Amino acid sequence: MKTGDRGRVDLDSEECKGCGLCVEACPPKVLALASHLNRYGYHPATYSGEGCTGCGICYFACPEPGAIVVWRLKAEARPVAQAA
Amino acid sequence: MRRELIKGNEAIVKAAILGGCRAFYGYPITPASEIAEAAALYMPQAGGVFLQAESEVAAINMIYGAASAGVRSMTASSGPGVSLMQEGFSYLAGSELPCVVADIMRGGPGLGNIAPEQGDYHQVVKCGGHGNYRTLVLAPDSVQEMCDLTLLAFDLADTYRNPVVVLADGYIGQMMEPVAFPDAAVMPSAPAWAVTGTAETRRNLVTSIYLEPDVLEAHVRKLEAKYRRAEQDAVRFESRETQDADIVLVGYGIVGRVLKEVVEAARAEGMRVGLLRPISLYPFPTEEIRRLARHAQAFAVVEMSTGQMLDDVRLALEGRRPIEFYSRVGGNVPATDAVLGFVRDALLKHVRAPEVIHA
Amino acid sequence: MPEFAVLHEKPHSFYSLYERKGELQHQTHYCPGCGHGIVHKLVARAIDELGIQNRAILVSPVGCSVFAYYYFDVGNVQVAHGRAPAVATGVKRAHPESIVISYQGDGDLAAIGSAEILHAANRGENITVFFVNNAIYGMTGGQMAPTTLVGQKSTTSPFGRNVWNEGSPIKVCELLNALDAPVYLERVALGSNKQIMAAARAVRRALEVQMRGQGFSLIEVLSPCPTIWKKDPVEAQHWVAEELVKTFPLGVVRDRTKDAPVRPASAAPPALDKIPGILGLEQDDPGPTVGGPAAREPVELAVKVAGFGGQGVLLLGEVLAEAGLASGLQVSWLPSYGPEMRSGTSNCHVRIATRPIASPLVLRPNVLLAMNEPSLRKFLPTVEPHGLVIYNGAACPADCLRPDVTLIAAPFAQLADGLGGARAANIAMLGALLEAAPVPFESQVPNVLRKLVRSPKWLEIDLAALARGRQAARQEVAS
Ligand SMILES: Cc1ncc(C[n+]2csc(CCOP(=O)(O)OP(=O)(O)O)c2C)c(N)n1
Ligand code: SF4
Ligand code: SF4
Ligand code: SF4
């Protein structure tokens, strides 16, 4: 993880159905469908590991209730400009 | 005990409220409308819900909701409306929800007329809905029984978690007789399986869908076992002068009353005639009919239909004894004199010692 | 190492493992990219945020979301196709404190359940409806829905929906907006990030309407069905944003959240011991006992009362039956009912007897009260020999006589009219009956009239008519 990222995402490849809606939705385009298949034959979504802003958009775009968890940098740890 | 002169249709509502019913959803139809009207009057005063639904389809589904929520609930209708409720009966039975439905039968098919008939037997007793379910069916023959059997219906509905139908006809619904109501009202607590919007009931689920064949089969077998249990425990009938009867008359509801008069008249003429009046139509008093068949020489079924309950008598007798059938339909009620003549003919035809008639 | 906190995760109002589902208990049964999952998530989040998980009851429909109860850790009721608003009504009215959600597809809500939704909305039921409009029947494999677009192909509109054959798509929010009661109606979509966020807000707002007790709210969600639309999930999402919204414009269609009053709460239920009183079954009055003194001499009255509707035929019968009952006798009263009550003829059968009454039908009366000539003609032949016939007319028609019965004819209507109301003719005839056939419950009749006749004016006329009828019968019998 690149220091300075405001967010990060956990993707549960077991719950993911590879629909790609999160990939489409992510503004900085840090998500992608993996080339490998998961147990159910889907290409699961993966996080590139850097650049997530913690905007949460992928979470709302995803139809699976628990496939995506979005983390946000804690307020006190955020750069001053962002906390305002 | 104090007795009220009261209409059958009203007695149902008073009994229901005394028995803890607090939800009535219905749609008007003659000759059942007084039930909805009485419920509209009393239910809100008793702290319950009355709502005139947009159709019988909606009404029975509102009952489904109220029953899911653990409230003793009922609706009432007649032939055409009961046809519309068939979907609901199937879902209620499949979801194991208790409720009481009063069917005050009128003439059919189609719009038919509003006079009394017994043409709903098939759709109610044999079940016009889909799937392997039964409704328990009770058939009052007096206004007192409208009260008593409504109270019983709520208990049976809870015991078996299944819809129970009080099947009466226009005359039983419209007539007035004195009724002794119970002195005190009861209010059973909501069953543990109900969905009531609380933390304790959050995990409860009311459903009738079982996708896996094996799971659905197990569910259907469970329902089936309940019905077998009801066949053991919930059979009810009235017997009159059957001990030495050469001919046993079989009829229910208002016909049962006519047959009581027929039995009196026949006995006065020296004919050994008895009456078996099924009170529970499902479960049907099959065993009792078989028992009576040991000495009775013939059976005579009288019905205000073209022979719907007749099938159950046939199934009970399995050819053991001959059956004669007398039927009136269209809103006509069998007249005592006519049935008496029919009984005389049946005796002459089937009873080996016709001298008894002239005794 | 920077510290992160969870911003969005699976809502608590979902089960962590979908145990009811059987296989694959950690993922939904929906197709990849299906809008149902997103709507579920928005609903579950709103339930969490509003703190209503324990109060929530989800009514799931028939359609692809039939198994919504696999996922939602709330009270669950699964119902028949289209009937969710009716069931929700029954649930909500039983437990007004609960938060009842009806979740429905377009076939479920706008086709088979169109009556149920219309009337629930019109009653302003305090429920919240989430209406997932994917313009198709998903569960059954892609048949036409009432919301299928004009020209859109489906398995049952293979040449495209044709307005001349199938009509135009139904706009549910606009349709319901014609009703007075709905408080909040909004159409949202899942076609873009922005649309989804707007949908999240709408879902929450609709539930808040219910929590405030204001009444009916419905959110229509334009939702992708990639499988049936034969589009990949991203294309399907775009099709929502580009095509569906043309037919179904987004936005708030009705918002009365500011001024809609809170629905009045129902009063606290009465104590159980008050119920018999409410039903008019007072316990302090012991009432008549069967087999009392009056019952000693055997009585076997089989009365037929017949006349025109509006002549008080049924009341006359009822007075007789009540009087018999008050004297401790067995009684029954059976009306001809239905249209006859409004016009044409009316008759009733009354039995009063010492013995239990076998049949309440009176086919061979021993007393006939004929209030008009057609009734006399119709029923005179049925009267038992030695029976009594009382006829409302100056004299019986010459061809209407029977030597074996007692016939009393008097112009009872005119007599009653002279007392202030021809409608009391029935009671005058009752007076004649009491005179001509002294019955053991005679003394009860005035009491019964006091009970049944509420208007003091009519009670006075009736009591006078009773006496006048007696007098007429005395004269008749004497003459
Ligand atoms: C009385 C009845 N008729 C038909 C069906 C079959 N059926 C099941 S779901 C459905 C349509 C569902 O479509 P929709 O409501 O649009 O929901 P979706 O599956 O698209 O989410 C139909 C016709 C049924 N279950 N019951
Ligand atoms: S939270 Fe925002 S930036 Fe991060 S992956 Fe999701 S959509 Fe992309
Ligand atoms: S939106 Fe959800 S299900 Fe679809 S690819 Fe992304 S994580 Fe997987
Ligand atoms: S068929 Fe359509 S509505 Fe049904 S689950 Fe699949 S995508 Fe969703």
Side-chain angles (χ1 to χ4, degrees):
Chain A
M1 180 186 311
K2 210 172 84 177
T3 43
D5 279 351
R6 278 171 290 146
R8 78 181 162 79
V9 284
D10 290 343
L11 296 161
D12 181 345
S13 69
E14 289 301 286
E15 190 159 346
C16 172
K17 286 182 180 150
C19 70
L21 287 174
C22 58
V23 177
E24 173 79 4
C26 173
K29 299 291 171 215
V30 295
L31 302 176
L33 294 183
S35 53
H36 69 271
L37 297 175
N38 69 7
R39 264 208 287 166
Y40 317 108
Y42 298 125
H43 294 284
T46 51
Y47 174 40
S48 67
E50 55 185 306
C52 173
T53 63
C55 68
I57 284 172
C58 56
Y59 172 87
F60 286 96
C62 173
E64 285 301 312
I68 300 182
V69 179
V70 178
W71 300 74
R72 179 84 72 90
L73 201 58
K74 279 196 171 171
E76 64 272 23
R78 273 188 227 165
V80 178
Q82 295 295 326
Chain B
M1 191 181 279
R2 187 187 156 80
R3 302 192 311 156
E4 292 278 321
L5 185 68
I6 187 172
K7 262 196 179 194
N9 281 346
E10 274 174 59
I12 283 189
V13 173
K14 291 192 180 186
I17 292 175
L18 288 169
C21 174
R22 289 296 182 273
F24 186 101
Y25 295 92
Y27 190 85
I29 184 168
T30 310
S33 294
E34 294 86 358
I35 303 179
E37 289 164 0
L41 180 64
Y42 294 119
M43 214 37 111
Q45 295 184 62
V49 176
F50 168 83
L51 183 63
Q52 180 170 323
E54 57 270 28
S55 68
E56 291 83 354
V57 175
I60 196 72
N61 280 283
M62 290 168 181
I63 295 294
Y64 185 102
S68 300
V71 175
R72 278 193 162 183
S73 45
M74 83 172 293
T75 184
S77 190
S78 184
V82 172
S83 300
L84 283 185
M85 290 183 184
Q86 294 294 346
E87 174 194 63
F89 290 166
S90 168
Y91 276 81
L92 283 152
S95 300
E96 296 194 85
L97 291 174
C99 75
V100 173
V101 179
D103 177 0
I104 312 299
M105 292 181 282
R106 57 188 246 167
L111 215 41
N113 66 21
I114 58 172
E117 215 191 56
Q118 295 182 324
D120 287 3
Y121 189 95
H122 275 164
Q123 72 161 344
V124 168
V125 179
K126 299 300 175 182
C127 298
H130 63 286
N132 291 290
Y133 79 96
R134 303 298 304 254
T135 50
L136 275 60
V137 186
L138 302 172
D141 84 335
S142 65
V143 181
Q144 182 67 54
E145 279 195 352
M146 286 291 243
C147 164
D148 298 346
L149 296 183
T150 297
L151 285 163
L152 175 65
F154 278 102
D155 288 340
L156 290 177
D158 281 349
T159 304
Y160 294 98
R161 285 185 61 180
N162 200 76
V164 179
V165 180
V166 175
L167 185 67
D169 58 77
Y171 270 163
I172 303 284
Q174 296 294 326
M175 73 189 197
M176 287 202 284
E177 286 182 323
V179 173
F181 287 97
D183 289 332
V186 297
M187 177 53 71
S189 48
W193 49 259
V195 178
T196 64
T198 57
E200 300 73 54
T201 64
R202 202 176 85 200
R203 294 284 158 102
N204 288 350
L205 165 67
V206 172
T207 187
S208 65
I209 186 169
Y210 297 90
L211 221 48
E212 287 299 320
D214 286 345
V215 180
L216 180 56
E217 183 167 40
H219 176 64
V220 171
R221 295 289 176 222
K222 179 184 162 201
L223 300 183
E224 190 188 13
K226 280 198 315 198
Y227 300 138
R228 292 291 96 82
R229 194 150 50 81
E231 284 165 12
Q232 291 302 312
D233 301 343
V235 175
R236 279 181 171 72
F237 55 84
E238 181 188 0
S239 229
R240 280 213 177 172
E241 316 244 14
T242 48
Q243 288 93 332
D244 65 340
D246 293 319
I247 286 212
V248 173
L249 301 175
V250 187
Y252 71 97
I254 190 72
V255 172
R257 298 291 291 272
V258 173
L259 295 185
K260 284 173 184 174
E261 201 170 71
V262 169
V263 168
E264 281 176 14
R267 288 273 166 181
E269 288 184 24
M271 298 187 269
R272 289 204 304 240
V273 173
L275 165 66
L276 179 81
R277 177 175 70 91
I279 294 174
S280 59
L281 297 177
Y282 180 79
F284 196 70
T286 302
E287 285 311 315
E288 179 63 12
I289 288 179
R290 286 185 188 154
R291 199 183 66 75
L292 293 176
R294 281 193 232 128
H295 57 75
Q297 301 190 39
F299 285 73
V301 175
V302 181
E303 227 182 322
M304 281 151 62
S305 84
T306 52
Q308 300 195 7
M309 182 191 67
L310 175 63
D311 289 345
D312 277 331
V313 179
R314 283 199 185 114
L315 286 171
L317 285 171
E318 289 175 326
R320 287 174 175 86
R321 289 284 178 266
I323 305 174
E324 292 295 325
F325 181 57
Y326 184 88
S327 140
R328 293 303 303 270
V329 289
N332 288 310
V333 180
T336 304
D337 290 351
V339 179
L340 203 54
F342 155 78
V343 170
R344 272 190 214 106
D345 292 348
L347 267 167
L348 281 169
K349 187 166 159 194
H350 297 293
V351 176
R352 257 163 281 149
E355 311 80 67
V356 291
I357 301 168
H358 311 293
Chain C
M1 195 67 182
E3 266 195 82
F4 286 86
V6 171
L7 178 66
H8 298 304
E9 62 181 340
K10 186 174 179 175
H12 296 296
S13 298
F14 282 128
Y15 287 115
S16 49
L17 204 62
Y18 311 133
E19 286 174 9
R20 286 177 176 147
K21 190 167 171 249
E23 290 175 335
L24 305 184
Q25 296 186 350
H26 55 280
Q27 50 173 237
T28 66
H29 69 288
Y30 296 111
C31 307
C34 174
H36 277 301
I38 299 176
V39 181
H40 280 22
K41 191 186 270 186
L42 302 183
V43 172
R45 264 179 72 88
I47 292 173
D48 280 6
E49 288 169 8
L50 296 169
I52 53 174
Q53 186 182 8
N54 286 336
R55 292 162 66 195
I57 298 176
L58 181 73
V59 181
S60 47
V62 176
C64 283
S65 51
V66 62
F67 296 121
Y69 63 81
Y70 284 171
Y71 313 115
F72 284 91
D73 182 2
V74 300
N76 277 288
V77 180
Q78 203 294 313
V79 305
H81 197 22
R83 317 299 176 213
V87 174
T89 298
V91 172
K92 182 72 181 187
R93 299 243 183 160
H95 297 292
E97 288 308 306
S98 62
I99 300 296
V100 179
I101 298 168
S102 175
Y103 186 109
Q104 301 182 258
D106 44 45
D108 194 81
L109 181 142
I112 195 168
S114 51
E116 283 78 6
I117 190 65
L118 190 77
H119 288 270
N122 191 50
R123 291 188 301 266
E125 291 298 338
N126 191 24
I127 61 172
T128 304
V129 181
F130 296 119
F131 166 40
V132 179
N133 176 358
N134 55 17
I136 202 78
Y137 284 15
M139 190 192 213
T140 42
Q143 296 82 11
M144 196 197 75
T147 49
T148 294
L149 303 188
V150 174
Q152 186 183 339
K153 287 182 179 165
S154 75
T155 58
T156 50
S157 55
F159 307 107
R161 182 177 187 153
N162 173 351
V163 288
W164 298 111
N165 199 47
E166 289 98 13
S168 302
I170 293 182
K171 299 183 183 73
V172 168
C173 283
E174 287 78 355
L175 191 70
L176 299 184
N177 195 32
L179 307 174
D180 289 343
V183 176
Y184 193 79
L185 304 169
E186 183 177 353
R187 184 179 293 118
V188 296
L190 306 179
S192 69
N193 298 340
K194 232 176 100 196
Q195 288 179 352
I196 294 171
M197 296 317 291
R201 285 189 294 275
V203 163
R204 197 183 144 126
R205 198 165 304 151
L207 286 169
E208 284 169 343
V209 168
Q210 183 178 173
M211 290 171 71
R212 284 194 297 271
Q214 286 179 301
F216 186 86
S217 54
L218 176 142
I219 306 299
E220 174 173 348
V221 187
L222 304 182
S223 173
C225 171
T227 304
I228 305 289
W229 295 355
K230 299 195 177 65
K231 297 183 189 321
D232 74 40
V234 173
E235 278 169 18
Q237 192 180 43
H238 292 161
W239 199 73
V240 170
E242 284 151 25
E243 291 302 322
L244 271 187
V245 295
K246 287 186 198 156
T247 298
F248 301 107
L250 302 186
V252 177
V253 176
R254 160 81 59 94
D255 183 359
R256 294 200 175 144
T257 51
K258 295 264 180 330
D259 54 346
V262 171
R263 287 169 67 94
S266 41
L272 263 194
D273 60 1
K274 295 279 182 284
I275 296 291
I278 288 168
L279 298 176
L281 306 170
E282 286 81 8
Q283 297 304 305
D284 46 341
D285 165 14
T289 36
V290 185
R296 269 180 223 126
E297 43 181 305
V299 182
E300 187 96 45
L301 276 179
V303 186
K304 175 77 113 280
V305 191
F308 291 127
Q311 278 188 313
V313 165
L314 301 185
L315 178 67
L316 171 46
E318 192 178 345
V319 174
L320 274 172
E322 284 277 10
L325 175 66
S327 308
L329 292 162
Q330 308 279 356
V331 301
S332 66
W333 173 95
L334 178 77
S336 64
Y337 60 85
E340 302 99 305
M341 284 167 73
R342 279 148 237 151
S343 65
T345 62
S346 170
N347 70 70
C348 71
H349 313 223
V350 178
R351 281 188 189 269
I352 303 174
T354 324
R355 297 189 314 139
I357 291 162
S359 170
L361 279 104
V362 176
L363 300 180
R364 293 207 317 239
N366 53 27
V367 174
L368 170 65
L369 301 171
M371 297 196 66
N372 60 21
E373 193 186 315
S375 300
L376 181 71
R377 290 188 180 279
K378 184 166 177 194
F379 295 114
L380 183 64
T382 66
V383 177
E384 289 272 15
H386 314 299
L388 170 66
V389 176
I390 298 177
Y391 172 56
N392 177 28
C396 286
D399 59 340
C400 243
L401 296 170
R402 258 183 66 178
D404 61 335
V405 300
T406 306
L407 252 160
I408 295 179
F412 292 101
Q414 276 89 324
L415 298 179
D417 204 28
L419 299 167
R423 265 167 53 203
N426 56 350
I427 306 301
M429 291 179 76
L430 175 58
L433 165 63
L434 299 185
E435 187 64 32
V439 283
F441 51 82
E442 202 185 323
S443 62
Q444 295 291 344
V445 170
N447 297 338
V448 170
L449 283 174
R450 274 179 209 106
K451 176 178 153 189
L452 293 182
V453 182
R454 296 278 154 81
S455 138
K457 180 192 143 207
W458 276 104
L459 180 61
E460 200 180 311
I461 296 174
D462 281 341
L463 290 172
L466 195 68
R468 190 66 189 82
R470 276 180 175 259
Q471 192 195 350
R474 266 197 304 276
Q475 288 161 354
E476 240 325 77
V477 173
S479 65

